[in-house]
Coordinates of all heavy atoms in Angstrom, one line a residue:
M1 N 114.1 65.9 86.6 CA 113.1 66.0 87.7 C 112.5 67.4 87.6 O 113.1 68.4 87.4 CB 113.8 65.9 89.0 CG 112.9 65.9 90.2 SD 113.8 65.3 91.6 CE 113.2 66.4 92.8
A2 N 111.2 67.4 87.7 CA 110.5 68.7 87.6 C 110.6 69.5 88.8 O 110.6 69.0 89.9 CB 109.0 68.4 87.3
Q3 N 110.8 70.8 88.6 CA 111.0 71.7 89.7 C 109.7 72.6 89.8 O 109.1 72.9 88.8 CB 112.2 72.6 89.5 CG 113.5 71.9 89.4 CD 113.9 71.2 90.7 OE1 113.6 71.8 91.8 NE2 114.5 70.1 90.6
A4 N 109.4 72.9 91.1 CA 108.2 73.8 91.3 C 108.7 75.2 91.0 O 109.7 75.7 91.4 CB 107.7 73.7 92.7
A5 N 107.8 75.9 90.2 CA 108.2 77.3 89.9 C 107.7 78.2 91.0 O 106.6 78.0 91.6 CB 107.4 77.7 88.6
R6 N 108.6 79.1 91.4 CA 108.3 80.0 92.5 C 107.7 81.3 91.8 O 108.2 81.8 90.9 CB 109.5 80.5 93.2 CG 110.0 79.4 94.2 CD 111.1 80.0 95.0 NE 112.3 79.3 94.7 CZ 113.5 79.7 95.0 NH1 113.7 80.8 95.6 NH2 114.6 78.9 94.7
I7 N 106.5 81.7 92.4 CA 105.9 82.8 91.9 C 106.1 84.0 92.9 O 105.8 83.9 94.0 CB 104.3 82.6 91.7 CG1 104.1 81.5 90.7 CG2 103.6 83.9 91.3 CD1 102.7 81.1 90.6
Q8 N 106.8 85.0 92.3 CA 107.0 86.2 93.2 C 106.0 87.3 92.8 O 105.9 87.6 91.6 CB 108.4 86.7 93.0 CG 109.5 85.7 93.3 CD 110.9 86.2 93.0 OE1 111.0 87.3 92.4 NE2 111.9 85.5 93.4
R9 N 105.4 87.8 93.8 CA 104.4 88.9 93.5 C 104.8 90.2 94.3 O 104.4 90.4 95.3 CB 103.0 88.4 94.0 CG 102.5 87.2 93.3 CD 102.1 87.6 91.9 NE 101.6 86.4 91.3 CZ 101.6 86.2 90.0 NH1 102.2 87.1 89.2 NH2 101.2 85.1 89.4
S10 N 105.7 90.9 93.6 CA 106.0 92.2 94.2 C 106.2 93.1 93.0 O 106.3 92.7 91.8 CB 107.3 92.2 95.0 OG 108.4 91.9 94.2
L11 N 106.3 94.4 93.3 CA 106.5 95.4 92.2 C 107.8 95.1 91.4 O 107.8 95.2 90.2 CB 106.5 96.8 92.7 CG 106.6 97.9 91.7 CD1 105.5 97.9 90.7 CD2 106.7 99.3 92.4
L12 N 108.9 94.9 92.1 CA 110.1 94.6 91.4 C 110.1 93.4 90.6 O 110.7 93.3 89.6 CB 111.3 94.6 92.4 CG 111.6 96.0 93.0 CD1 112.8 95.9 94.0 CD2 112.0 97.0 91.9
S13 N 109.4 92.3 91.0 CA 109.3 91.1 90.2 C 108.5 91.4 88.9 O 108.8 90.8 87.9 CB 108.7 90.0 91.0 OG 107.4 90.2 91.3
L14 N 107.5 92.3 89.0 CA 106.8 92.6 87.8 C 107.7 93.5 86.8 O 107.6 93.4 85.6 CB 105.5 93.4 88.1 CG 104.5 92.6 88.9 CD1 103.3 93.5 89.3 CD2 104.0 91.5 88.1
L15 N 108.6 94.3 87.4 CA 109.4 95.1 86.5 C 110.6 94.3 86.0 O 111.1 94.5 84.9 CB 110.0 96.3 87.3 CG 108.9 97.4 87.7 CD1 109.6 98.5 88.4 CD2 108.3 97.9 86.4
N16 N 111.1 93.3 86.8 CA 112.2 92.5 86.4 C 111.7 91.1 86.0 O 112.0 90.1 86.5 CB 113.2 92.3 87.6 CG 113.8 93.6 88.0 OD1 113.9 94.5 87.2 ND2 114.1 93.7 89.3
S17 N 110.8 91.1 84.9 CA 110.2 89.9 84.5 C 111.2 88.9 83.8 O 110.8 87.8 83.7 CB 109.0 90.2 83.5 OG 109.5 90.9 82.4
D18 N 112.4 89.4 83.5 CA 113.3 88.5 82.8 C 114.2 87.8 83.9 O 115.1 87.0 83.5 CB 114.2 89.2 81.8 CG 115.0 90.3 82.4 OD1 114.7 90.7 83.6 OD2 115.8 90.9 81.7
G19 N 114.0 88.1 85.2 CA 114.8 87.4 86.2 C 116.0 88.1 86.6 O 116.7 87.7 87.5
K20 N 116.4 89.2 85.9 CA 117.6 89.9 86.2 C 117.2 91.2 86.9 O 116.1 91.7 86.7 CB 118.4 90.2 84.9 CG 118.8 89.0 84.2 CD 119.5 89.4 82.9 CE 119.7 88.2 82.0 NZ 120.2 88.5 80.7
D21 N 118.2 91.7 87.7 CA 117.9 93.0 88.3 C 118.3 94.2 87.3 O 119.3 94.1 86.6 CB 118.8 93.2 89.6 CG 118.3 92.3 90.7 OD1 117.1 91.9 90.7 OD2 119.1 91.9 91.5
H22 N 117.4 95.2 87.3 CA 117.7 96.4 86.5 C 117.5 97.6 87.4 O 116.5 98.3 87.2 CB 116.7 96.4 85.3 CG 116.7 95.2 84.5 ND1 117.7 94.9 83.6 CD2 115.8 94.2 84.4 CE1 117.4 93.8 83.0 NE2 116.3 93.3 83.4
P23 N 118.4 97.9 88.2 CA 118.1 99.0 89.2 C 118.1 100.4 88.5 O 117.2 101.2 88.9 CB 119.3 99.0 90.1 CG 120.4 98.2 89.4 CD 119.7 97.3 88.5
V24 N 118.9 100.6 87.5 CA 118.8 101.9 86.8 C 117.5 102.1 86.0 O 116.9 103.1 86.1 CB 120.1 102.1 85.9 CG1 120.0 103.4 85.1 CG2 121.3 102.0 86.7
E25 N 117.2 101.1 85.3 CA 116.0 101.1 84.5 C 114.7 101.3 85.3 O 113.8 102.0 85.0 CB 115.8 99.9 83.6 CG 116.9 99.8 82.5 CD 118.2 99.2 82.9 OE1 118.4 99.0 84.1 OE2 119.0 98.8 82.0
N26 N 114.7 100.5 86.5 CA 113.5 100.6 87.4 C 113.5 102.0 88.0 O 112.4 102.5 88.2 CB 113.7 99.5 88.5 CG 113.5 98.1 87.9 OD1 113.0 97.9 86.8 ND2 113.9 97.2 88.7
T27 N 114.6 102.6 88.3 CA 114.6 103.9 88.9 C 114.1 104.9 87.9 O 113.3 105.8 88.3 CB 116.1 104.3 89.3 OG1 116.5 103.3 90.2 CG2 116.1 105.6 90.0
F28 N 114.5 104.8 86.7 CA 113.9 105.8 85.6 C 112.4 105.6 85.5 O 111.7 106.6 85.4 CB 114.6 105.5 84.3 CG 115.8 106.4 84.1 CD1 117.1 105.8 84.2 CD2 115.7 107.7 83.7 CE1 118.2 106.6 84.0 CE2 116.8 108.5 83.5 CZ 118.1 107.9 83.6
A29 N 111.9 104.4 85.6 CA 110.5 104.1 85.4 C 109.7 104.7 86.6 O 108.7 105.4 86.4 CB 110.2 102.7 85.3
L30 N 110.2 104.5 87.8 CA 109.5 105.0 89.0 C 109.6 106.6 89.1 O 108.7 107.2 89.5 CB 110.1 104.4 90.2 CG 109.8 102.9 90.3 CD1 110.4 102.3 91.6 CD2 108.3 102.6 90.3
V31 N 110.8 107.1 88.8 CA 110.9 108.6 88.8 C 110.0 109.2 87.8 O 109.4 110.3 88.0 CB 112.4 109.0 88.6 CG1 112.6 110.4 88.3 CG2 113.2 108.6 89.8
T32 N 109.9 108.6 86.6 CA 109.0 109.2 85.6 C 107.6 109.1 86.0 O 106.8 110.1 85.8 CB 109.2 108.4 84.2 OG1 110.5 108.4 83.8 CG2 108.3 108.9 83.1
V33 N 107.1 108.1 86.7 CA 105.8 108.0 87.2 C 105.5 109.1 88.3 O 104.5 109.8 88.3 CB 105.4 106.6 87.7 CG1 104.1 106.6 88.5 CG2 105.4 105.6 86.6
V34 N 106.5 109.3 89.2 CA 106.3 110.3 90.2 C 106.3 111.7 89.6 O 105.4 112.5 90.0 CB 107.5 110.1 91.3 CG1 107.5 111.3 92.2 CG2 107.3 108.8 92.0
L35 N 107.2 112.0 88.7 CA 107.2 113.3 88.1 C 105.9 113.5 87.3 O 105.4 114.6 87.3 CB 108.4 113.4 87.2 CG 109.8 113.6 87.9 CD1 110.9 113.5 86.8 CD2 109.8 114.8 88.7
G36 N 105.4 112.5 86.6 CA 104.2 112.6 85.9 C 103.0 112.9 86.8 O 102.1 113.7 86.5
A37 N 103.0 112.2 87.9 CA 101.9 112.4 88.9 C 102.0 113.9 89.4 O 100.9 114.5 89.5 CB 102.0 111.4 90.0
I38 N 103.2 114.4 89.7 CA 103.3 115.7 90.2 C 102.8 116.7 89.2 O 102.1 117.7 89.4 CB 104.7 116.0 90.7 CG1 105.1 115.2 91.9 CG2 104.9 117.5 90.9 CD1 106.5 115.2 92.3
A39 N 103.3 116.5 87.9 CA 102.9 117.4 86.8 C 101.4 117.4 86.6 O 100.8 118.5 86.3 CB 103.7 117.0 85.6
A40 N 100.8 116.2 86.6 CA 99.4 116.2 86.3 C 98.6 116.8 87.5 O 97.6 117.5 87.2 CB 99.0 114.7 86.1
F41 N 98.9 116.6 88.7 CA 98.1 117.1 89.8 C 98.3 118.6 90.0 O 97.4 119.2 90.5 CB 98.4 116.3 91.1 CG 97.8 114.9 91.1 CD1 98.6 113.8 91.3 CD2 96.4 114.8 90.9 CE1 98.0 112.6 91.3 CE2 95.8 113.6 90.9 CZ 96.6 112.4 91.1
T42 N 99.5 119.1 89.7 CA 99.7 120.5 89.8 C 98.9 121.3 88.7 O 98.8 122.6 88.9 CB 101.2 120.9 89.8 OG1 101.8 120.4 88.6 CG2 101.9 120.4 91.0
T43 N 98.4 120.7 87.7 CA 97.6 121.4 86.7 C 96.3 121.8 87.2 O 95.5 122.6 86.6 CB 97.5 120.6 85.4 OG1 96.8 119.4 85.7 CG2 98.8 120.3 84.8
L44 N 95.9 121.2 88.4 CA 94.6 121.5 88.9 C 94.5 122.9 89.4 O 93.4 123.5 89.5 CB 94.2 120.5 90.1 CG 94.1 119.0 89.7 CD1 93.9 118.2 90.9 CD2 93.0 118.9 88.7
S45 N 95.6 123.5 89.7 CA 95.7 124.9 90.1 C 96.5 125.7 89.1 O 97.7 125.5 88.9 CB 96.4 125.1 91.5 OG 96.5 126.4 91.8
P46 N 95.8 126.6 88.3 CA 96.5 127.3 87.2 C 97.7 128.1 87.7 O 98.6 128.4 87.0 CB 95.5 128.1 86.6 CG 94.2 127.5 86.9 CD 94.4 126.8 88.3
S47 N 97.7 128.5 89.0 CA 98.8 129.3 89.6 C 100.1 128.5 89.7 O 101.1 129.1 89.9 CB 98.4 129.9 90.9 OG 98.2 128.9 91.8
L48 N 100.0 127.2 89.6 CA 101.2 126.3 89.7 C 101.7 125.9 88.4 O 102.3 124.9 88.2 CB 100.8 125.1 90.5 CG 100.5 125.3 92.0 CD1 100.1 124.0 92.7 CD2 101.7 125.9 92.7
H49 N 101.5 126.8 87.4 CA 101.9 126.4 86.0 C 103.4 126.3 85.9 O 103.9 125.5 85.0 CB 101.4 127.5 85.0 CG 101.9 128.8 85.2 ND1 103.1 129.3 84.6 CD2 101.4 129.9 85.9 CE1 103.3 130.5 85.0 NE2 102.3 130.9 85.7
L50 N 104.2 127.0 86.7 CA 105.6 126.9 86.6 C 106.0 125.5 87.1 O 106.9 124.9 86.4 CB 106.3 127.9 87.5 CG 106.2 129.4 87.0 CD1 106.8 130.3 88.1 CD2 107.0 129.5 85.7
V51 N 105.4 125.0 88.1 CA 105.8 123.7 88.6 C 105.3 122.6 87.6 O 106.1 121.7 87.3 CB 105.1 123.4 90.0 CG1 105.3 122.0 90.5 CG2 105.6 124.4 91.0
S52 N 104.1 122.7 87.1 CA 103.6 121.7 86.2 C 104.4 121.7 84.9 O 104.7 120.6 84.4 CB 102.1 121.8 85.9 OG 101.9 123.1 85.4
S53 N 104.8 122.8 84.4 CA 105.5 122.8 83.1 C 106.9 122.3 83.3 O 107.4 121.5 82.5 CB 105.4 124.2 82.5 OG 106.0 125.2 83.3
W54 N 107.6 122.8 84.3 CA 109.0 122.3 84.5 C 109.1 120.8 84.9 O 109.9 120.1 84.4 CB 109.7 123.2 85.5 CG 110.2 124.5 84.9 CD1 109.7 125.7 85.1 CD2 111.3 124.6 84.0 NE1 110.4 126.6 84.4 CE2 111.4 126.0 83.7 CE3 112.2 123.8 83.4 CZ2 112.3 126.5 82.8 CZ3 113.1 124.3 82.5 CH2 113.2 125.6 82.2
V55 N 108.2 120.4 85.8 CA 108.3 119.0 86.2 C 107.8 118.1 85.1 O 108.4 117.0 84.9 CB 107.4 118.8 87.5 CG1 107.2 117.3 87.8 CG2 108.0 119.5 88.7
G56 N 106.9 118.6 84.3 CA 106.4 117.8 83.1 C 107.6 117.7 82.1 O 107.8 116.6 81.5
L57 N 108.3 118.8 81.9 CA 109.4 118.7 80.9 C 110.5 117.8 81.4 O 111.0 117.0 80.6 CB 110.0 120.1 80.7 CG 111.1 120.3 79.7 CD1 110.6 120.0 78.3 CD2 111.6 121.7 79.7
V58 N 110.8 117.8 82.7 CA 111.8 116.9 83.2 C 111.3 115.4 83.1 O 112.1 114.5 82.8 CB 112.2 117.3 84.7 CG1 113.1 116.2 85.3 CG2 112.9 118.6 84.7
G59 N 110.0 115.3 83.4 CA 109.4 113.9 83.3 C 109.4 113.4 81.9 O 109.7 112.2 81.7
I60 N 109.2 114.2 80.9 CA 109.3 113.8 79.5 C 110.7 113.4 79.2 O 111.0 112.3 78.6 CB 108.8 114.9 78.6 CG1 107.3 115.1 78.7 CG2 109.2 114.6 77.1 CD1 106.8 116.3 78.0
G61 N 111.7 114.1 79.7 CA 113.1 113.8 79.4 C 113.5 112.5 80.1 O 114.1 111.6 79.4
T62 N 113.1 112.3 81.3 CA 113.5 111.0 82.0 C 112.7 109.8 81.4 O 113.3 108.7 81.3 CB 113.2 111.1 83.5 OG1 111.9 111.4 83.7 CG2 114.1 112.1 84.2
G63 N 111.5 110.1 81.0 CA 110.7 109.0 80.4 C 111.3 108.6 79.0 O 111.3 107.4 78.7
L64 N 111.7 109.5 78.2 CA 112.3 109.2 76.9 C 113.6 108.4 77.1 O 113.9 107.5 76.4 CB 112.4 110.4 76.1 CG 111.2 111.1 75.6 CD1 111.5 112.4 74.8 CD2 110.4 110.1 74.7
W65 N 114.4 108.9 78.0 CA 115.7 108.2 78.2 C 115.4 106.8 78.8 O 116.1 105.8 78.5 CB 116.6 109.0 79.2 CG 117.9 108.3 79.3 CD1 118.4 107.6 80.3 CD2 118.9 108.2 78.2 NE1 119.7 107.1 80.0 CE2 120.0 107.5 78.7 CE3 119.0 108.8 77.0 CZ2 121.2 107.2 78.0 CZ3 120.2 108.5 76.2 CH2 121.2 107.8 76.7
G66 N 114.4 106.7 79.7 CA 114.1 105.4 80.2 C 113.6 104.4 79.2 O 113.9 103.2 79.2
Q67 N 112.8 104.9 78.2 CA 112.4 104.1 77.1 C 113.6 103.6 76.3 O 113.6 102.5 75.8 CB 111.4 104.9 76.2 CG 110.0 105.0 76.7 CD 109.3 103.7 76.6 OE1 109.7 102.7 75.9 NE2 108.1 103.6 77.2
F68 N 114.5 104.5 76.1 CA 115.7 104.1 75.4 C 116.5 103.0 76.0 O 117.0 102.1 75.3 CB 116.6 105.4 75.2 CG 117.8 105.2 74.4 CD1 117.7 104.9 73.0 CD2 119.1 105.2 74.9 CE1 118.9 104.8 72.2 CE2 120.2 105.0 74.2 CZ 120.1 104.8 72.8
I69 N 116.6 103.0 77.3 CA 117.4 101.9 78.0 C 116.6 100.8 78.6 O 117.2 99.9 79.2 CB 118.3 102.6 79.1 CG1 117.5 103.2 80.2 CG2 119.2 103.6 78.4 CD1 118.3 103.7 81.4
S70 N 115.3 100.8 78.5 CA 114.4 99.9 79.2 C 114.7 98.5 78.7 O 115.0 98.3 77.5 CB 113.0 100.2 79.1 OG 112.5 100.1 77.8
S71 N 114.4 97.5 79.6 CA 114.7 96.1 79.3 C 113.5 95.2 79.3 O 113.5 94.2 78.6 CB 115.7 95.5 80.3 OG 116.9 96.2 80.3
T72 N 112.5 95.5 80.0 CA 111.3 94.7 80.2 C 110.0 95.4 79.8 O 110.0 96.6 79.8 CB 111.2 94.1 81.6 OG1 111.0 95.1 82.5 CG2 112.5 93.3 82.0
T73 N 109.0 94.6 79.6 CA 107.7 95.2 79.3 C 107.1 96.0 80.5 O 106.5 97.0 80.3 CB 106.7 94.1 78.9 OG1 107.3 93.4 77.8 CG2 105.4 94.6 78.4
G74 N 107.3 95.5 81.7 CA 106.8 96.2 82.9 C 107.4 97.6 83.0 O 106.7 98.5 83.3
E75 N 108.7 97.7 82.7 CA 109.3 99.0 82.8 C 108.7 99.9 81.7 O 108.4 101.1 82.0 CB 110.8 98.9 82.5 CG 111.6 98.2 83.7 CD 112.9 97.8 83.3 OE1 113.3 97.9 82.1 OE2 113.6 97.2 84.2
R76 N 108.5 99.4 80.5 CA 108.0 100.2 79.4 C 106.6 100.7 79.7 O 106.2 101.8 79.4 CB 108.1 99.5 78.1 CG 109.5 99.2 77.7 CD 109.6 98.5 76.3 NE 111.0 98.1 76.1 CZ 111.4 96.9 76.0 NH1 110.6 95.9 76.1 NH2 112.7 96.7 75.8
F77 N 105.8 99.8 80.3 CA 104.4 100.1 80.7 C 104.4 101.3 81.6 O 103.7 102.3 81.4 CB 103.7 98.9 81.3 CG 102.3 99.2 81.8 CD1 101.3 99.2 80.9 CD2 102.1 99.4 83.1 CE1 100.0 99.5 81.3 CE2 100.8 99.7 83.6 CZ 99.8 99.7 82.6
L78 N 105.2 101.3 82.7 CA 105.2 102.4 83.7 C 105.8 103.7 83.0 O 105.3 104.8 83.3 CB 106.1 102.0 84.9 CG 105.5 101.1 85.9 CD1 106.4 100.8 87.0 CD2 104.2 101.6 86.4
L79 N 106.8 103.5 82.1 CA 107.3 104.7 81.5 C 106.3 105.4 80.6 O 106.2 106.6 80.5 CB 108.5 104.3 80.6 CG 109.8 104.0 81.5 CD1 110.8 103.3 80.6 CD2 110.4 105.3 82.0
I80 N 105.5 104.6 79.9 CA 104.4 105.2 79.0 C 103.4 105.9 79.9 O 102.9 107.0 79.5 CB 103.8 104.1 78.1 CG1 104.8 103.7 77.1 CG2 102.5 104.6 77.5 CD1 105.3 104.8 76.1
I81 N 103.0 105.3 81.0 CA 102.0 106.0 81.9 C 102.6 107.3 82.4 O 102.0 108.3 82.4 CB 101.7 105.0 83.1 CG1 101.0 103.8 82.6 CG2 100.8 105.8 84.1 CD1 99.7 104.0 81.9
G82 N 103.9 107.2 82.8 CA 104.5 108.5 83.3 C 104.7 109.5 82.2 O 104.6 110.7 82.5
L83 N 105.1 109.0 81.0 CA 105.3 110.0 79.9 C 103.9 110.7 79.6 O 103.9 111.9 79.3 CB 105.8 109.2 78.7 CG 107.3 109.1 78.5 CD1 107.6 108.1 77.5 CD2 107.9 110.5 78.2
G84 N 102.9 109.9 79.6 CA 101.6 110.5 79.3 C 101.2 111.6 80.3 O 100.7 112.7 80.0
A85 N 101.4 111.2 81.6 CA 101.0 112.2 82.7 C 102.0 113.4 82.6 O 101.5 114.5 82.8 CB 101.1 111.5 84.0
S86 N 103.2 113.2 82.3 CA 104.2 114.3 82.2 C 103.8 115.2 81.0 O 103.9 116.4 81.2 CB 105.6 113.8 82.0 OG 106.0 113.1 83.2
G87 N 103.5 114.6 79.9 CA 103.1 115.4 78.8 C 101.8 116.2 79.0 O 101.7 117.4 78.6
F88 N 100.9 115.6 79.7 CA 99.6 116.3 80.0 C 99.9 117.5 80.9 O 99.4 118.6 80.7 CB 98.7 115.3 80.8 CG 97.4 115.9 81.3 CD1 96.4 116.2 80.4 CD2 97.3 116.1 82.6 CE1 95.2 116.7 80.9 CE2 96.1 116.7 83.1 CZ 95.1 117.0 82.2
G89 N 100.8 117.2 82.0 CA 101.1 118.3 82.9 C 101.9 119.4 82.2 O 101.7 120.6 82.4
F90 N 102.8 119.0 81.3 CA 103.6 120.0 80.6 C 102.8 120.9 79.7 O 102.9 122.1 79.8 CB 104.7 119.3 79.8 CG 105.5 120.2 78.9 CD1 106.4 121.1 79.4 CD2 105.3 120.1 77.5 CE1 107.1 121.9 78.6 CE2 106.0 121.0 76.7 CZ 107.0 121.9 77.2
F91 N 101.9 120.3 78.9 CA 101.2 121.1 78.0 C 100.1 121.9 78.7 O 99.9 123.1 78.2 CB 100.5 120.2 76.9 CG 101.5 119.6 75.9 CD1 101.7 118.3 75.7 CD2 102.3 120.5 75.2 CE1 102.6 117.8 74.9 CE2 103.2 120.1 74.3 CZ 103.4 118.7 74.1
L92 N 99.5 121.5 79.7 CA 98.6 122.3 80.4 C 99.3 123.4 81.2 O 98.8 124.5 81.3 CB 97.7 121.5 81.4 CG 96.5 120.9 80.8 CD1 95.7 120.1 81.8 CD2 95.6 121.9 80.1
G93 N 100.5 123.1 81.7 CA 101.3 124.2 82.3 C 101.7 125.2 81.3 O 101.7 126.4 81.6
M94 N 102.0 124.8 80.1 CA 102.3 125.8 79.0 C 101.1 126.6 78.7 O 101.2 127.8 78.4 CB 102.8 125.1 77.8 CG 104.2 124.4 78.0 SD 105.5 125.5 78.4 CE 105.7 126.3 76.8
A95 N 99.9 126.0 78.7 CA 98.7 126.7 78.4 C 98.4 127.8 79.5 O 97.8 128.8 79.2 CB 97.6 125.8 78.2
H96 N 98.7 127.5 80.7 CA 98.4 128.3 81.8 C 99.4 129.5 82.0 O 99.2 130.3 82.8 CB 98.2 127.5 83.1 CG 97.0 126.7 83.1 ND1 96.9 125.6 83.9 CD2 95.8 126.8 82.5 CE1 95.7 125.0 83.8 NE2 95.1 125.8 82.9
G97 N 100.5 129.4 81.3 CA 101.5 130.5 81.5 C 102.9 130.2 81.1 O 103.7 131.1 81.0
G98 N 103.2 128.9 80.9 CA 104.5 128.6 80.3 C 105.6 128.3 81.4 O 105.4 128.3 82.6
L99 N 106.8 128.2 80.8 CA 108.0 127.8 81.6 C 108.5 129.0 82.5 O 109.1 128.8 83.5 CB 109.1 127.3 80.8 CG 108.8 126.0 80.1 CD1 109.9 125.7 79.0 CD2 108.8 124.8 81.1
F100 N 108.3 130.2 82.0 CA 108.8 131.3 82.7 C 107.7 132.3 83.2 O 108.0 133.3 83.9 CB 109.8 132.1 81.8 CG 110.9 131.3 81.3 CD1 111.0 130.8 80.0 CD2 111.9 130.9 82.2 CE1 112.0 130.0 79.6 CE2 113.0 130.1 81.8 CZ 113.0 129.7 80.5
G101 N 106.5 132.0 83.0 CA 105.4 132.7 83.6 C 105.3 134.2 83.2 O 104.9 135.0 84.0
G102 N 105.7 134.5 82.0 CA 105.6 135.9 81.5 C 106.8 136.7 81.9 O 106.8 137.9 81.6
V103 N 107.7 136.2 82.6 CA 108.9 136.9 83.0 C 109.8 137.3 81.8 O 110.3 138.4 81.7 CB 109.7 136.2 84.1 CG1 111.0 136.9 84.5 CG2 108.9 135.9 85.3
I104 N 109.9 136.3 80.9 CA 110.7 136.5 79.7 C 109.7 136.5 78.6 O 108.9 135.5 78.4 CB 111.7 135.4 79.5 CG1 112.7 135.4 80.6 CG2 112.4 135.5 78.2 CD1 113.7 134.3 80.6
G105 N 109.7 137.5 77.8 CA 108.9 137.5 76.6 C 107.6 138.3 76.7 O 106.8 138.6 77.4

C-alpha cells in the first residue's frame, strides 16, 4: 500500500536530509556560520582587527573539523559558507593589524 510522504520544512530537516539526527554536526555547522558572520562584520571597523582575526581563526578551525565529521549536504553547505566568511574575516583582520595588534613583534 502506498504511503503519503511527509514533507518537513524546517532548518533541521534541511540539515538532517538523511532522516537521522546529527546534533554534533549541526552544532558545528551553525557555530561556524555564526563565527563567520561575526568575523566578517567586524572587518567593517579596522579597529576591531583583534576580534575579526581571532574569531575568524576559531571559525576556520570549527569549520574544518565540521567538514571532517559532516554527514549531509546541508551541513556541508552551511560549513562552506561559514568557512568562507571566517576566512574573509581572518585575512582582513590580519591585514588590519593581526592577531596580537603589534603587541608582539
